Amino acid sequence: MKATVNHWKPRHLKQFECKQQQASHQILKQEGQQVKQQLRRAEQTHYQDLKAKNALFNQQQAIEQAQQERGR
């Protein structure tokens, strides 16, 4: 008899635990979405940095080529 009493929970306690679990799930879901957004922003920033470095490299190559053609 005592063992069954220990496993029994009042209905409001079960409802509270259920709502608490739903709230934790919601928080985890929101945090996951925030992490995804931060990752996307970091990837975009990295891509833009690469584009800028590539443009600078192309500009330097063009300058060096122009200087070599002038020297000929």
Side-chain angles (χ1 to χ4, degrees):
M1 181 70 190
K2 196 172 187 180
T4 55
V5 172
N6 288 343
H7 292 295
W8 183 84
K9 292 180 182 175
R11 192 176 341 137
H12 70 276
L13 185 58
K14 286 182 181 177
Q15 288 173 345
F16 170 77
E17 288 176 344
C18 183
K19 286 180 182 176
Q20 194 176 27
Q21 194 174 15
Q22 288 173 347
S24 330
H25 177 72
Q26 190 65 31
I27 290 168
L28 285 174
K29 190 175 167 186
Q30 288 171 348
E31 286 176 351
Q33 289 171 347
Q34 287 174 346
V35 168
K36 284 180 188 173
Q37 287 174 346
Q38 289 170 346
L39 183 60
R40 255 186 249 117
R41 277 191 226 112
E43 287 173 343
Q44 287 173 348
T45 302
H46 179 66
Y47 176 70
Q48 288 170 351
D49 287 348
L50 286 177
K51 276 175 59 178
K53 286 178 184 175
N54 188 40
L56 184 61
F57 176 77
N58 289 342
Q59 196 175 26
Q60 289 170 336
Q61 293 292 101
I63 290 170
E64 287 175 19
Q65 190 176 356
Q67 288 172 342
Q68 287 173 359
E69 288 176 3
R70 228 185 263 153
R72 286 182 189 164

